[in-house]
Amino acid sequence: AQSVTQLDSQVPVFEEAPVELRCNYSSSVSVYLFWYVQYPNQGLQLLLKYLSGSTLVKGINGFEAEFNKSQTSFHLRKPSVHISDTAEYFCAVSETLGGGNKLTFGTGTQLKVEL
Amino acid sequence: ETGVTQSPTHLIKTRGQQVTLRCSSQSGHNTVSWYQQALGQGPQFIFQYYREEENGRGNFPPRFSGLQFPNYSSELNVNALELDDSALYLCASSLQGANGYTFGSGTRLTVV
């Protein structure tokens, strides 16, 4: 089974500063990787995903992530954060399940943007 | 296109009771997956339904069961509720074989 490790449970950052949220995965086969954001009392919203092709993936709200196969990482970055980016962020890997797929999530990183 | 809708949004049940949660999938999607998200944790895969049959299951006991209907909507049923079943239950729809998932806003279940 695949697994995902999010190394930081909380990341405080000042507004307009850059941020990186770390994610490492374990897999011996081709992987499909995702970042989701969850605002309080809401479901999950897809930020971006890596399926194949370019290792630098751009997503919504100015976020991007880089797939690094040798380091089994998929870190999420944003060059300048805003107060509205305060939320929980989840990294996930897709795993084959019968004829379909399932997502295995990390434990999440709470991003807190301060003035 | 419509997104994934879940009902109810909040629910309080007593230990030992049974509960049914509902999910309408996004238009064009034929697969529904259910996840349990305990407080402060990442979502955990419960099971997936495709063509009205269970298509894979996570590490959850048999008292967690589900259904999928011809219109691709789905239900999650939990029998003999336990306090630890208190969580946010998320439904995600997708197209079988594809890697695109749309999540609903979830049902917050509290077991007292």
Side-chain angles (χ1 to χ4, degrees):
Chain A
Q2 298 182 10
S3 65
V4 173
T5 302
Q6 292 185 245
L7 299 168
D8 306 298
S9 59
Q10 293 186 22
V11 173
V13 63
F14 288 108
E15 194 175 30
E16 297 184 5
V19 71
E20 178 180 83
L21 306 184
R22 297 181 292 169
C23 172
N24 288 87
Y25 65 92
S26 68
S27 174
S28 59
V29 297
S30 297
V31 290
Y32 306 112
L33 294 158
F34 303 77
W35 275 99
Y36 284 88
V37 61
Q38 186 175 38
Y39 299 100
N41 300 314
Q42 293 189 26
L44 300 174
Q45 180 182 8
L46 180 67
L47 281 176
L48 49 81
K49 61 183 176 183
Y50 171 79
L51 301 182
S52 64
S54 172
T55 57
L56 183 62
V57 181
K58 294 191 181 298
I60 63 171
N61 301 341
F63 284 94
E64 63 181 31
E66 185 158 15
F67 171 62
N68 189 318
K69 187 174 182 179
S70 63
Q71 296 186 8
T72 60
S73 67
F74 190 54
H75 301 334
L76 181 71
R77 302 186 183 100
K78 186 169 182 177
S80 176
V81 296
H82 188 268
I83 284 286
S84 60
D85 293 323
T86 294
E88 188 86 19
Y89 292 79
F90 291 96
C91 181
V93 61
S94 180
E95 186 172 355
T96 301
L97 176 74
N101 305 285
K102 71 166 187 176
L103 291 174
T104 298
F105 288 87
T107 52
T109 297
Q110 176 67 42
L111 176 63
K112 185 174 182 181
V113 181
E114 302 168 352
L115 292 172
Chain B
E1 67 186 9
T2 58
V4 175
T5 57
Q6 292 186 243
S7 63
T9 55
H10 295 82
L11 201 53
I12 300 175
K13 288 287 189 178
T14 303
R15 188 171 50 182
Q17 286 187 315
Q18 178 266 343
V19 69
T20 297
L21 311 181
R22 295 178 175 83
C23 172
S24 295
S25 60
Q26 178 173 305
S27 175
H29 285 179
N30 57 13
T31 301
V32 174
S33 303
W34 287 91
Y35 292 81
Q36 180 196 65
Q37 185 180 15
L39 200 61
Q41 301 295 318
Q44 298 289 318
F45 175 75
I46 302 175
F47 44 53
Q48 182 181 92
Y49 276 82
Y50 171 61
R51 290 185 176 176
E52 302 177 46
E53 293 189 357
E54 189 178 286
N55 187 39
R57 189 179 187 90
N59 190 25
F60 281 82
R63 60 188 184 85
F64 285 78
S65 63
L67 286 172
Q68 186 182 32
F69 300 99
N71 67 352
Y72 307 123
S73 67
S74 178
E75 288 182 355
L76 164 65
N77 299 290
V78 187
N79 294 321
L81 284 167
E82 300 177 359
L83 296 179
D84 285 348
D85 295 334
S86 295
L88 180 68
Y89 288 84
L90 296 165
C91 169
S93 74
S94 59
L95 194 59
Q96 184 69 353
N99 273 291
Y101 308 86
T102 301
F103 280 83
S105 297
T107 295
R108 173 73 63 186
L109 172 65
T110 302
V111 182
V112 298

